[in-house]
Amino acid sequence: MYFKTVDFSKFSSIKVGVPIEVLMLERGDDIPTDRVIIGHANNLLVSSSPSPLMMLSKDFSFIELDEDILTVGCATPTGRVLSFAKKNNLSGFEFISKLPGSMGGMVAMNAGVKNYEIFNILDAVKIDGQWKRKDDIRYDYRFANLNGVATELRFKVKRGFSQILLDELILLRSNQPKTPSAGSAFKNPEGDYAGRLIEAVGLKGFSKGGMQWSEVHANFLVNNGKGTFEEAKYLIELAKDKIFKEFTILLEEEIEIL
Ligand SMILES: Cc1cc2nc3c(=O)[nH]c(=O)nc-3n(C[C@H](O)[C@H](O)[C@H](O)COP(=O)(O)OP(=O)(O)OC[C@H]3O[C@@H](n4cnc5c(N)ncnc54)[C@H](O)[C@@H]3O)c2cc1C
């Protein structure tokens, strides 16, 4: 293992943060229990003093296909897995297009689009060195109780990559803001949409400093440049507060605040 300085104002998708020393894990290392594991920071809002952080090194970026068993390292970018699935005519991976991040982040968030989620196609996850079957892990909408560091994922694959489905999903994403964000800020509450609620309390397009509730998609907290952690946190709390007062719905963050 070794340390690397990661500048979160450049590395994170929302472009908020400061340079921080992150412990990089290599193959064979004992996994520390006193650090928070991060992936490629597409779902994170990192303060200037987060808990100690760790990340998987390139040792965990690989894809292996053996007959119908696909094994993927958790540092592998989602885009590489999509390209691999397309090239090798594998079905089920089309939805990960436009879901930026690492495969570790994907499984920890049970990331997905519409009814497509990573747990639908997953067979097993290696957590802290032990393979765990999907059925032995508690998971739900944008949630998985991994309780450790995922280093490898295993899938039983079928042939038949669908270009039609891929095109449909790409079209679906066309309403998303291009400005830096961390994706949806809040999870959708049961039977409603966080974006609708943010709009209903008049916050669509509302800004504080460099941060703004997007005018394109209200549930996206976007950074128009030089936005800070404090401004982002302010907007998140403001939205939760207003929505609770008006609708007695307590929104839960999808974005991970560290
Ligand atoms: C423009 C945009 C659009 C997006 N659209 C969607 C969408 O439609 N649907 C959706 O689900 N998400 C979406 N996201 C969010 C993001 O793509 C996913 O959450 C992604 O899976 C995050 O991966 P990451 O590697 O960046 O994880 P990070 O953001 O670094 O981490 C996310 C979480 O995963 C945990 N984690 C990361 N790696 C590991 C590991 N190896 N072991 C255990 N835990 C780990 C972290 O502790 C953290 O809790 C979007 C993001 C952006 C920027």
Side-chain angles (χ1 to χ4, degrees):
M1 50 182 84
Y2 59 97
F3 279 97
K4 186 176 161 183
T5 306
V6 176
D7 184 350
F8 284 90
S9 73
K10 299 197 173 80
F11 182 66
S12 70
S13 60
I14 197 165
K15 308 294 177 212
V16 167
V18 297
I20 286 169
E21 291 285 287
V22 176
L23 183 72
M24 303 297 296
L25 297 175
E26 295 174 290
R27 195 169 276 278
D29 285 344
D30 285 335
I31 297 175
T33 51
D34 55 352
R35 287 184 172 261
V36 175
I37 180 80
I38 60 164
H40 293 174
N42 287 274
N43 201 59
L44 302 181
L45 180 63
V46 184
S47 72
S48 54
S49 54
S51 304
L53 302 176
M54 60 182 163
M55 204 191 281
L56 299 176
S57 72
K58 285 206 162 45
D59 287 3
F60 300 94
S61 180
F62 61 86
I63 305 176
E64 286 163 8
L65 181 62
D66 184 7
E67 307 263 320
D68 65 341
I69 300 294
L70 182 75
T71 311
V72 179
C74 283
T76 315
T78 51
R80 264 192 61 205
V81 177
L82 179 74
S83 310
F84 186 91
K86 195 170 174 178
K87 194 165 155 221
N88 291 277
N89 191 31
L90 308 179
S91 81
F93 295 86
E94 298 85 352
F95 77 97
I96 69 178
S97 101
K98 305 277 176 180
L99 295 190
S102 66
M103 293 304 286
M106 264 213 110
V107 78
M109 294 301 301
N110 189 15
V113 181
K114 298 248 156 183
N115 297 328
Y116 304 95
E117 293 178 338
I118 193 76
F119 266 79
N120 294 352
I121 56 169
L122 187 71
D123 180 48
V125 189
K126 199 181 215 179
I127 303 169
D128 294 343
Q130 300 275 326
W131 280 105
K132 254 191 159 177
R133 303 297 300 260
K134 171 171 79 174
D135 294 343
D136 297 326
I137 300 170
R138 214 156 40 81
Y139 63 93
D140 205 336
Y141 165 62
R142 303 295 169 267
F143 164 81
N145 185 21
L146 298 183
N147 234 332
V149 175
T151 50
E152 293 177 43
L153 309 182
R154 194 168 65 206
F155 303 90
K156 282 205 179 103
V157 292
K158 294 196 188 82
R159 306 286 149 168
F161 185 86
S162 169
Q163 187 63 44
I164 296 172
L165 178 58
L166 180 66
D167 292 343
E168 274 174 23
L169 290 163
I170 289 174
L171 195 67
L172 198 73
R173 313 277 54 210
S174 58
N175 72 337
Q176 282 190 352
K178 306 272 183 283
T179 328
S181 75
S184 299
F186 296 110
K187 297 182 184 187
N188 287 323
E190 190 95 32
D192 211 332
Y193 291 96
R196 189 197 75 78
L197 294 165
I198 292 170
E199 201 171 339
V201 296
L203 287 178
K204 188 174 185 178
F206 186 83
S207 62
K208 169 90 176 159
M211 302 303 300
Q212 183 183 30
W213 287 115
S214 169
E215 299 192 50
V216 183
H217 188 308
N219 194 21
F220 272 57
L221 186 60
V222 295
N223 185 353
N224 289 318
K226 302 232 161 39
T228 64
F229 175 83
E230 287 71 26
E231 290 160 0
K233 194 83 181 14
Y234 172 85
L235 288 177
I236 290 171
E237 294 307 327
L238 181 68
K240 280 177 81 167
D241 200 41
K242 277 184 167 258
I243 290 165
F244 188 72
K245 281 195 182 120
E246 204 153 318
F247 299 101
T248 49
I249 295 173
L250 185 59
L251 286 185
E252 190 192 336
E253 289 89 348
E254 179 166 325
I255 205 168
E256 193 96 26
I257 301 174
L258 296 177

